């Protein structure tokens, strides 16, 4: 288990939540698990001018592990580092809106959800 959470929080209201991958995956529908196991996601920050900036490399939200239960990866784009008006989002170039909806069910962020990390 690795938790990386580097962010500024001048108002001291941010919370980091730790969740067990197996419990998270078990709470999803079989269809969402299948989608999130097959299509990569990309974390992005959308700047106020509309430019999307990729954060990190594309990844499988639910990845199989040999001899063990699958692992779920949650990535919250750090929009706060890009100034006021920037928002985080998760996109799936190969899977489109259907996969992005599954990631939202898993706990990912969208601009509509306030996506700042």
């Amino acid at each position: 288990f690795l938790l990386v959470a580097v962010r500024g929080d001048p108002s001291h209201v941010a919370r980091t939540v730790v969740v067990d991958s197996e419990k998270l995956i078990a709470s999803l529908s079989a269809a969402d698990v299948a989608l999130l196991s097959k299509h990569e996601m990309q974390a992005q920050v959308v700047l106020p001018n509309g430019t999307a900036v990729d954060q990190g490399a594309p990844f499988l939200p639910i990845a199989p592990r040999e001899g063990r239960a699958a692992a779920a990866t949650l990535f919250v784009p750090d929009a706060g580092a890009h100034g006021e008006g920037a928002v985080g989002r998760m996109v799936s170039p190969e899977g489109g809106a259907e996969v992005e909806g599954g990631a939202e069910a898993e706990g990912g962020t969208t601009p509509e959800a306030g996506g700042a990390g």
Side-chain angles (χ1 to χ4, degrees):
F1 173 70
L2 173 64
L3 175 65
V4 179
V6 178
R7 63 175 174 223
D9 182 25
S11 60
H12 301 286
V13 296
R15 294 183 334 155
T16 299
V17 178
V18 179
V19 64
D20 181 283
S21 281
E22 291 179 35
K23 289 180 181 178
L24 177 65
I25 294 169
S27 73
L28 299 173
S29 71
D32 281 345
V33 171
L35 281 171
L36 295 170
S37 298
K38 188 168 119 179
H39 298 287
E40 289 187 333
M41 299 290 299
Q42 174 67 56
Q44 295 183 334
V45 171
V46 181
L47 304 177
N49 68 4
T51 302
V53 179
D54 289 347
Q55 289 197 313
F59 63 95
L60 277 176
I62 299 178
R65 299 183 299 177
E66 191 172 318
R68 298 186 295 169
T73 300
L74 300 176
F75 191 108
V76 179
D78 185 8
H82 294 275
E84 189 174 331
V87 293
R89 71 177 180 188
M90 299 300 297
V91 296
S92 179
E94 61 182 25
E98 187 176 20
V99 175
E100 293 161 14
E104 192 174 332
E106 183 188 9
T109 61
T110 64
E112 296 79 20

